[in-house]
Amino acid sequence: MFQKHDALGYRSGYCRGIDRFFSLSFYTNHGSGVPVPKLKGLTKQEAINVLEKEGFDYQIDEIYVPDAPPGTIIEQDPDPGTNVKQNRKIYLTMVTEKAPPVNLPDIDQMPYIQAVATLQNSGLKVGDTTYKSDIALNVVLEAQFAGQIIKAGTKIPKGSKIDLILGDGVGASEVDVPDLINQDLDAVRFSLRGMNLSLGTITYDGAITDSSNVIVVSQSPMRTDSTSKVSIGTKINVTVSQGN
């Protein structure tokens, strides 16, 4: 004899069985594995110690991050608290301890604002700025790294600070003493104007029969080891004689 079950009883028993099955399945799978520890902010060795103690495998990649402490873990995958099986590989990203080299871009004669943007695009920073007498205002005259003048293309660590020497827009207050000896007097006048100097007293040595052919035979001031520069506007006195 088969035992009869009413429809409601059969359905109720069936549902209770299904409920117990899924409840058991949920209970069995929920919380399985072990949680991934928080590794961000640890040093490389600290992170390795934690992972090895918990039985995890790991892989560490390095990237350069300006102003971040070298050797520090900044990213991890999976995230902290994620339940995973033991021996699961944990992927870590660490700040490299050595900045990669980059080339100094060509910023010579570049306006300051443009030079700052160019350096930043190359992963470099602007350090100290100083001014030097030059007719150009806020234009880069020199770039320095660690106290040394460097040129475009020089390899330096990424993130380095580059000191800039800029023009003050005033112009040079001094110029080199020119050598005028054996030069034609008319040419000397033109040359001095171009250097922001002026012709002073002209002393004639001997008779001058052809004014179009007069040669400088001495000058004051002369360029010497102790006198190599004069102020802008200085008058240069010359002695001239008849040219051949």
Side-chain angles (χ1 to χ4, degrees):
M1 294 288 296
F2 290 101
Q3 185 175 1
K4 294 182 179 180
H5 297 275
D6 60 72
L8 181 60
Y10 178 82
R11 182 175 178 80
S12 298
Y14 175 81
C15 289
R16 286 194 297 271
I18 292 295
D19 290 343
R20 285 195 297 270
F21 174 81
F22 281 107
S23 295
L24 179 61
S25 175
F26 177 80
Y27 178 80
T28 302
N29 292 324
H30 180 69
S32 62
V34 292
V36 175
K38 181 181 179 181
L39 304 168
K40 293 181 182 179
L42 300 183
T43 65
K44 176 181 178 180
Q45 192 56 53
E46 288 172 341
I48 290 174
N49 292 342
V50 171
L51 291 172
E52 290 181 345
K53 182 179 179 180
E54 298 291 335
F56 290 110
D57 194 5
Y58 57 86
Q59 178 178 317
I60 302 178
D61 295 320
E62 297 184 358
I63 63 171
Y64 176 74
V65 180
D67 301 324
T72 303
I73 303 300
I74 58 172
E75 293 293 341
Q76 67 177 85
D77 183 28
D79 291 329
T82 304
N83 286 347
V84 298
K85 296 179 181 180
Q86 283 189 321
N87 298 320
R88 165 73 183 271
K89 181 175 286 188
I90 308 299
Y91 297 90
L92 304 177
T93 302
M94 182 190 78
V95 179
T96 182
E97 297 183 5
K98 185 177 181 180
V102 296
N103 293 330
L104 177 70
D106 187 0
I107 57 174
D108 186 48
Q109 299 300 313
M110 187 177 288
Y112 174 74
I113 295 178
Q114 184 180 350
V116 171
T118 302
L119 290 172
Q120 290 176 343
N121 289 337
S122 298
L124 300 169
K125 302 177 182 179
V126 175
D128 295 331
T129 56
T130 56
Y131 285 87
K132 180 179 179 180
S133 294
D134 192 88
I135 194 171
L137 176 62
N138 287 328
V139 169
V140 177
L141 303 179
E142 294 177 355
Q144 294 184 351
F145 174 64
Q148 300 295 321
I149 296 176
I150 56 175
K151 301 297 183 181
T154 303
K155 290 189 177 297
I156 48 181
K158 190 174 183 179
S160 297
K161 290 184 177 181
I162 306 301
D163 298 330
L164 300 179
I165 292 83
L166 308 175
D168 62 6
V170 177
S173 59
E174 293 184 327
V175 295
D176 292 335
V177 176
D179 183 4
L180 306 177
I181 305 303
N182 293 325
Q183 293 191 40
D184 180 87
L185 183 59
D186 289 336
V188 164
R189 287 192 178 96
F190 180 80
S191 178
L192 290 176
R193 284 197 298 269
M195 299 177 67
N196 291 321
L197 300 174
S198 60
L199 185 61
T201 302
I202 302 175
T203 301
Y204 294 90
D205 181 15
I208 301 298
T209 58
D210 183 0
S211 60
S212 64
N213 186 18
V214 178
I215 303 299
V216 175
V217 293
S218 67
Q219 68 179 75
S220 177
M222 288 281 294
R223 181 167 186 166
T224 64
D225 292 338
S226 59
T227 305
S228 60
K229 291 183 178 294
V230 291
S231 299
I232 286 177
T234 297
K235 292 184 177 182
I236 308 296
N237 302 318
V238 297
T239 298
V240 299
S241 66
Q242 184 67 64
N244 297 328

